[in-house]
Amino acid sequence: MDLESNYEIGPTAEFIQSNKFTRVALQFPDELLKDAVRVVSALRAKLRTLRESNAEQNDDAPEVGLFVMADTAYGSCCVDEVGASHVDADAVVHYGHTCLSPTTTLPAFFVFGKTPISVPDCVKNLSHYALPNGRRVLVLFGLDYAHSIENIREKFAEVCGAESKPEVQYANVICSVMNPSKGRKVSNEVQGTSDNNSFGTVSANTYSIGGLVWKLPEGHKMDDYLLFWIGSNNSAFANIVLTYNGCEIVRYDALECSMVTDLSQQRKILKRRYYLMEKAKDANIVGILVGTLGVAGYLNMIHQMKVLITGAGKKVYTLVMGRPNPAKLANFPECDIFIYVSCAQTALLDSKEYLAPVITPFEAMLAFNRGCQWTGEYVMEFRDLINSSPVESRNFSEEARFSFLQGGYVEDFDPQGLRS
């Protein structure tokens, strides 16, 4: 696939020119940096062409400054608004894999890329699960395969014919352009829950996760569907497996043209996370790791975590250090556990090599809320947790708590004397 198409040079130039941006940051992940120079050259040429074609209407249009950003402070899937602010950028063009988390200050244009896929082979495998038993199927995909979904839908309809109408739903991409005001609106909507308190539900039958959105027919539930994932085994897929762990899930590996049905390794993650939740209950000093400075709502989540932790009678520190690693966190041996506030696709840290475990805000809410039981539901997006349940500070119980790790009853630590 040629560079002009894969990097959407034309639509990107239209976005910049139509909004009259003069300073634009181009954010590349490490694996795409090799193409950065060619992309900038092609984009400048396209912008020059557009400027010349509109010269009569806008004679004094300034030349657009393009700035390449690499080595982001946090996850490359999030828009690096802090890095963009260093060059006083008006907007960010984000290339490659993204979590599509809402931005707080800058508009963003997302170029997902176009990973090649064998549409006939994908349709054949989809038919294997959808046609024989009339099984309800929901097709989800990595954003780099969004360009081929309409083609897959059409080819699958041809295979089914006019008489057969299997129940196959397809997710859609939420957007390719995001601005702060709309991002905040989306964030507030996603925070809300449906009547059945299902996290990640925008409305009663509309679901959203990882930049995808879909609507199920009235009366249908997610557990009724087999999830057919098109894409690689990456953080986006792990998000799907954990969030919808009650669904049967299969994965079509487009690079290998093969189906993957054994997800036992991914599901083992849930057991590990439950162990970390139990370990967090015995913690006395907690560190909050700030894993983003750009995702909308992160300050609210940090505040909510502080209220939750102090309300549980524990001491809390807030730490900002960029991407965490074992060496960085080893400088804080006082902390028994860390809570990582970041986007959903970077939230799960394999903390086996760390001195202290690293958990997510959802796991913290289960660990530090007395009497709160895990039902199997798992929430990755911290925006789904904001105001999802009231956090009562100073809500101590005089009764001792049984610790599964220590094998006996313990009393929660109260460093600030809040019980008195």
Side-chain angles (χ1 to χ4, degrees):
M1 195 171 291
D2 66 311
L3 182 131
E4 289 266 346
S5 174
N6 195 41
Y7 285 93
E8 300 184 24
I9 300 300
T12 304
E14 289 284 352
F15 166 75
I16 296 172
Q17 199 261 350
S18 62
N19 288 283
K20 299 179 180 178
F21 296 130
T22 58
R23 299 174 68 85
V24 179
L26 309 180
Q27 181 179 337
F28 290 86
D30 293 344
E31 63 271 17
L32 298 181
L33 267 179
K34 62 184 185 298
D35 295 332
V37 174
R38 291 194 297 152
V39 170
V40 170
S41 299
L43 198 51
R44 277 182 178 155
K46 188 65 177 178
L47 286 168
R48 192 178 302 113
T49 302
L50 290 175
R51 190 165 60 250
E52 290 172 355
S53 64
N54 296 329
E56 295 181 358
Q57 293 133 355
N58 197 3
D59 293 334
D60 57 349
E63 186 171 349
V64 178
L66 302 177
F67 304 86
V68 174
M69 290 197 305
D71 191 26
T72 55
Y74 298 100
S76 60
C77 60
C78 301
V79 175
D80 188 2
E81 296 183 81
V82 175
S85 67
H86 292 165
V87 295
D88 196 24
D90 304 318
V92 177
V93 178
H94 183 285
Y95 294 96
H97 176 72
T98 178
C99 55
L100 274 182
S101 297
T103 57
T104 55
T105 58
L106 293 176
F109 183 86
F110 295 92
V111 178
F112 307 127
K114 298 178 180 179
T115 303
I117 182 174
S118 172
V119 172
D121 187 69
C122 180
V123 170
K124 182 185 74 172
N125 283 281
L126 177 58
S127 304
H128 172 74
Y129 288 95
L131 293 181
N133 303 318
R135 183 75 184 270
R136 291 173 179 171
V137 177
L138 173 63
V139 178
L140 305 175
F141 49 89
L143 296 178
D144 51 332
Y145 293 99
H147 66 98
S148 61
I149 295 304
E150 188 58 35
N151 194 8
I152 292 173
R153 188 200 301 258
E154 293 173 358
K155 295 296 183 184
F156 181 73
E158 293 176 6
V159 171
C160 297
E163 297 180 0
S164 176
K165 292 184 178 180
E167 292 192 64
V168 177
Q169 306 291 329
Y170 297 84
N172 297 304
V173 179
I174 291 178
C175 64
S176 60
V177 178
M178 183 180 293
N179 64 59
S181 60
K182 290 182 180 178
R184 282 192 291 270
K185 183 178 179 182
V186 170
S187 174
N188 291 334
E189 288 175 349
V190 174
Q191 288 168 19
T193 56
S194 63
D195 295 337
N196 60 359
N197 293 323
S198 176
F199 287 109
T201 307
V202 179
S203 62
N205 287 81
T206 303
Y207 297 80
S208 174
I209 187 172
L212 300 177
V213 64
W214 62 92
K215 185 173 184 177
L216 300 183
E218 195 69 32
H220 289 196
K221 299 181 297 182
M222 280 298 300
D223 290 350
D224 300 334
Y225 285 79
L226 177 143
L227 305 187
F228 188 93
W229 172 263
I230 301 173
S232 57
N233 182 18
N234 55 14
S235 58
F237 179 60
N239 194 0
I240 296 290
V241 173
L242 291 177
T243 303
Y244 300 111
N245 57 75
C247 299
E248 182 180 352
I249 304 174
V250 295
R251 180 173 70 88
Y252 176 72
D253 190 329
L255 299 179
E256 300 291 335
C257 292
S258 62
M259 291 298 303
V260 179
T261 57
D262 182 10
L263 303 181
S264 57
Q265 292 300 317
Q266 287 85 348
R267 295 189 187 279
K268 281 182 180 178
I269 297 175
L270 280 175
K271 297 180 181 179
R272 167 74 178 168
R273 305 314 298 186
Y274 183 76
Y275 165 76
L276 295 181
M277 278 188 266
E278 289 298 325
K279 198 166 185 179
K281 292 179 181 179
D282 294 338
N284 292 326
I285 301 178
V286 182
I288 298 177
L289 300 177
V290 182
T292 176
L293 295 177
V295 177
Y298 81 96
L299 288 176
N300 292 333
M301 190 73 258
I302 292 172
H303 173 72
Q304 187 166 331
M305 286 294 100
K306 287 181 178 179
V307 172
L308 175 69
I309 295 165
T310 55
K314 304 176 188 297
K315 199 169 185 179
V316 58
Y317 295 98
T318 304
L319 309 171
V320 182
M321 62 179 68
R323 298 182 189 181
N325 58 46
K328 288 181 180 179
L329 297 192
N331 292 307
F332 305 95
E334 302 87 357
C335 294
D336 301 312
I337 199 114
F338 295 97
I339 302 173
Y340 193 34
V341 178
S342 70
C343 78
Q345 296 189 21
T346 58
L348 288 182
L349 284 181
D350 186 2
S351 55
K352 292 179 181 178
E353 298 181 0
Y354 292 68
L355 294 179
V358 182
I359 64 174
T360 67
F362 171 70
E363 292 162 354
M365 292 187 75
L366 290 179
F368 301 141
N369 269 330
R370 235 349 148 78
C372 188
Q373 298 294 325
W374 186 39
T375 62
E377 185 177 42
Y378 200 88
V379 183
M380 297 291 292
E381 289 279 2
F382 70 74
R383 295 189 309 278
D384 292 352
L385 298 174
I386 299 176
N387 301 326
S388 62
S389 60
V391 178
E392 296 184 5
S393 182
R394 308 186 185 187
N395 184 23
F396 294 101
S397 173
E398 297 296 334
E399 296 182 0
R401 173 180 58 81
F402 185 82
S403 169
F404 287 97
L405 300 183
Q406 298 185 29
Y409 286 93
V410 297
E411 291 187 3
D412 287 325
F413 181 56
D414 186 14
Q416 300 172 1
L418 295 176
R419 298 187 192 189
S420 57

